[in-house]
């Protein structure tokens, strides 16, 4: 961390934003269509559509908040609010996407079933964990204190 000249809070925030960026590429939804005896099929969809764009904007907001001020200090003032808003946008975009696909799966469309993909759950986790991290409710594990040297 000392070589990167980034504060630990900003480094972990960037790591979580990177995880969220990778999660957008992963499958967010699988749609299966069944036409009875006439066939069917399935298709996976990533987060680059609909409410997934809100998550992408949240990732950009976290990156901007990290590099706008002094990188060696933790988030303060307005940039802390921008980072919190960015992680909030990541989480809200993924949660709204999840609610919308949950409604389609049980929404009465005959032969159509949708299910959430693992990328969507990773996106939600990264957004919520990042928001809790910036708020200070989640702390990084501390190294145990080394024992004092023996006296001669």
């Amino acid at each position: 961390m000392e070589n990167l000249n980034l504060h630990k809070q900003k480094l972990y925030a960037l790591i979580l934003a990177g995880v969220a960026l990778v999660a957008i590429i992963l499958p967010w939804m699988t749609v299966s269509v069944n036409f009875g005896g006439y066939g069917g099929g399935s298709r996976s969809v990533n987060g680059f559509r609909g409410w997934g764009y809100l998550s992408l904007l949240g990732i950009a907001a976290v990156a901007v908040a990290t590099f706008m001020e002094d990188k060696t200090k933790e988030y303060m003032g307005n940039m802390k609010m921008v980072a919190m808003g960015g992680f909030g946008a990541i989480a809200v975009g993924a949660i709204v996407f999840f609610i919308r696909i949950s409604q389609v799966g049980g929404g009465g469309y005959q032969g159509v079933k949708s299910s959430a993909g693992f990328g969507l759950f990773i996106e939600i986790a990264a957004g919520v964990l990042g928001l809790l991290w910036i708020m200070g409710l989640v702390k990084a594990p501390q190294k145990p204190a080394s024992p004092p040297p023996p006296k001669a």
Side-chain angles (χ1 to χ4, degrees), residues 1 5-12 71-74:
M1 282 182 270
N5 292 329
L6 278 175
H7 189 271
K8 184 172 30 172
Q9 184 186 37
K10 290 185 177 185
L11 178 66
Y12 288 151
K71 296 183 294 184
T72 60
K73 296 180 183 169
E74 66 181 16

Side-chain angles (χ1 to χ4, degrees), residues 31-51:
V31 179
S32 301
V33 179
N34 185 5
F35 296 118
Y38 299 106
S42 67
R43 181 171 182 231
S44 293
V45 174
N46 63 17
F48 286 112
R49 62 188 61 228
W51 286 92

Side-chain angles (χ1 to χ4, degrees), residues 10-149:
K10 290 185 177 185
L11 178 66
Y12 288 151
L14 275 180
I15 290 171
L16 285 171
V19 167
L21 183 62
V22 169
I24 286 181
I25 300 168
L26 297 174
W28 277 31
M29 174 176 62
T30 301
V31 179
S32 301
V33 179
N34 185 5
F35 296 118
Y38 299 106
S42 67
R43 181 171 182 231
S44 293
V45 174
N46 63 17
F48 286 112
R49 62 188 61 228
W51 286 92
Y53 288 125
L54 181 62
S55 296
L56 186 63
L57 286 174
I59 293 168
V62 171
V64 166
T66 300
F67 294 114
M68 284 296 286
E69 286 186 339
D70 187 4
K71 296 183 294 184
T72 60
K73 296 180 183 169
E74 66 181 16
Y75 291 114
M76 292 183 289
N78 288 339
M79 287 304 133
K80 183 174 184 176
M81 295 299 168
V82 170
M84 285 173 44
F87 279 118
I90 292 169
V92 167
I95 289 170
V96 171
F97 195 96
F98 176 73
I99 291 170
R100 289 179 55 100
I101 65 171
S102 296
Q103 291 175 347
V104 170
Y109 297 110
Q110 200 67 351
V112 177
K113 174 137 175 70
S114 65
S115 58
F118 62 95
L120 182 60
F121 294 115
I122 294 171
E123 189 80 14
I124 292 171
V128 171
L129 189 61
L131 187 59
L132 294 175
W133 172 253
I134 300 298
M135 291 172 67
L137 299 175
V138 174
K139 305 283 184 196
Q142 301 292 328
K143 289 187 207 176
S146 59

